[in-house]
Amino acid sequence: MDAYLILNGPNLNRLGTREPDIYGAETLLDLERGLLQFGEEAGAEITCLQSNHEGDLIDALHEAEGRYAGIVLNPGAFTHYSYAIRDAVAGISVPVVEVHLSNVHAREEFRHQSVTAPVTYGQIIGLGFAGYRLALQALIELKGRENK
Ligand code: DQA
C-alpha cells in the first residue's frame, strides 16, 4: 500500500478556535480523521504530522524521502517567506502538493506570494478541508500513472 504524508505547519493545531470565520469551526483532529478515512477508502496509508517549528517541518520533509509516495503540505505562514522550507521541498524527489484552507489571494497582500509553490507539483487554495482530499487524490493518481 502506498503511503502519503499530511504535513501541517504553524498554528494549524489551533483549527476550530483560531479565527473560525476564516478557517472554520472544525479542528485539526477532524481534518486528520477525515483524511485517514479517505485514505482507507482509497487504499492509501496516511500519516498526519503537525508542527509549529520550521526545523521540524524541514526534518519531516527530509525523512519523507523513500517513505512516502506524496506529501500534502500546508506550510501556514512559512509559505510566504521560508526559503528553507522551499529548499527542503526542492531537495526531495517526493511530489508535494501545497494546500491552503483559505483563499490567500482574497486576503492581506503578504499572503499573495508563496515562496514554496514554485517547487511543488501543484497548489490548491481556498477550498477548506476539501483541498486536502483533492490534493491526496491528485497524488494517488500521479502514483498510479507512474506505476503503469
Ligand atoms: C494558511 C494561509 C496562511 O497565510 C496562514 O498563515 C495560515 C494558514 C491557510 O491554510 O489558509 O496559517 O496556510
Side-chain angles (χ1 to χ4, degrees):
M1 198 189 285
D2 292 318
Y4 296 85
L5 176 65
I6 313 291
L7 191 54
N8 277 301
N11 299 306
L12 291 159
N13 57 316
R14 304 264 304 145
L15 284 180
T17 25
R18 168 195 190 201
E19 301 179 274
D21 45 318
I22 296 172
Y23 298 112
E26 289 186 285
T27 65
L28 180 63
L29 198 62
D30 294 330
L31 172 66
E32 293 180 343
R33 279 198 187 122
L35 292 169
L36 291 177
Q37 176 74 34
F38 182 87
E40 216 170 286
E41 286 160 15
E45 191 186 308
I46 308 294
T47 300
C48 298
L49 279 178
Q50 186 276 332
S51 176
N52 293 323
H53 307 282
E54 191 177 20
D56 289 347
L57 296 168
I58 292 167
D59 287 345
L61 288 163
H62 293 169
E63 285 159 19
E65 189 79 77
R67 281 168 71 173
Y68 297 103
I71 302 169
V72 178
L73 173 66
N74 184 345
F78 286 138
T79 305
H80 314 301
Y81 66 92
S82 176
Y83 297 124
I85 290 181
R86 177 197 166 113
D87 284 350
V89 172
I92 58 174
S93 62
V94 188
V96 173
V97 176
E98 179 174 315
V99 169
H100 297 286
L101 291 159
S102 63
N103 180 357
V104 283
H105 298 293
R107 300 181 62 196
E108 302 95 321
E109 203 166 333
F110 76 87
R111 297 185 203 276
H112 297 181
Q113 195 203 3
S114 168
V115 300
T116 44
V119 293
T120 63
Y121 172 51
Q123 193 191 33
I124 299 175
I125 286 176
L127 304 183
F129 283 12
Y132 287 77
R133 291 194 296 274
L134 293 168
L136 255 180
Q137 186 62 45
L139 288 166
I140 291 168
E141 286 180 25
L142 176 67
K143 181 70 181 165
R145 286 199 296 279
E146 279 172 13
N147 287 345
K148 270 189 192 156

